[in-house]
Amino acid sequence: MNRNKLESATEEELLEYFVAIAVVQDKAMRQGENAKYNRLYGEMDAVKQELRQRTGDQRCALIPLYEHPNAQVRLKAAIATLALAPAAARQALQIISDRQEYPQAADARGMIRVSFPVRQPPRSTAR
């Protein structure tokens, strides 16, 4: 979908496109079609940017996708909404990880580690 079509698309159309891209990404990843996956990454990024640029940052419309049956859809929706709904996005990532839905579980764990680092208590310097 080109830029003009994205700009004129309804929110529902953008969500449908987001889901369609993620499902095809999942298939491409599983079949080792890296070039196709990378092309789709750019398309998904354009959809996220269009939602973000709309009044009130409409990426929040992706939150219901945390319940989608496809792990790639849930993963990408959670990543896209980390800044808007960090606790809910983290929970969606944790569910993917806990269910061991590979290959997405590895990405989910990585995002949790990067986005929600465990803070270590300061080390005592006294002896």
Side-chain angles (χ1 to χ4, degrees):
M1 192 176 282
N2 67 34
R3 186 85 197 129
N4 289 335
K5 286 187 179 181
L6 288 176
E7 289 174 358
S8 64
T10 66
E11 184 177 289
E12 185 177 326
E13 290 170 332
L14 290 172
L15 292 177
E16 289 172 5
Y17 191 44
F18 183 93
V19 169
I21 292 168
V23 169
V24 177
Q25 272 185 329
D26 188 31
K27 183 177 178 183
M29 185 175 14
R30 292 177 188 282
Q31 295 178 348
E33 297 174 335
N34 296 333
K36 185 174 188 176
Y37 181 92
N38 291 338
R39 179 183 54 79
L40 292 165
Y41 181 90
E43 291 180 29
M44 181 173 283
D45 194 52
V47 172
K48 289 187 296 189
Q49 290 303 326
E50 179 58 33
L51 287 167
R52 184 174 185 231
Q53 292 172 359
R54 292 188 178 197
T55 304
D57 190 346
Q58 295 306 305
R59 288 177 296 168
C60 59
L62 297 170
I63 292 172
L65 297 180
Y66 295 172
E67 304 298 322
H68 195 276
N70 183 281
Q72 183 72 7
V73 174
R74 295 192 317 271
L75 174 73
K76 292 300 187 174
I79 292 170
T81 57
L82 272 169
L84 302 173
R90 187 192 191 291
Q91 181 178 6
L93 294 169
Q94 190 66 54
I95 289 169
I96 294 167
S97 175
D98 291 348
R99 290 180 183 166
Q100 298 185 23
E101 295 180 271
Y102 287 100
Q104 290 82 9
D107 288 337
R109 288 179 186 137
M111 286 305 298
I112 290 169
R113 268 194 304 274
V114 170
S115 301
F116 305 95
V118 176
R119 301 195 196 284
Q120 298 294 327
R123 291 180 133 182
S124 174
T125 56
R127 288 190 173 178

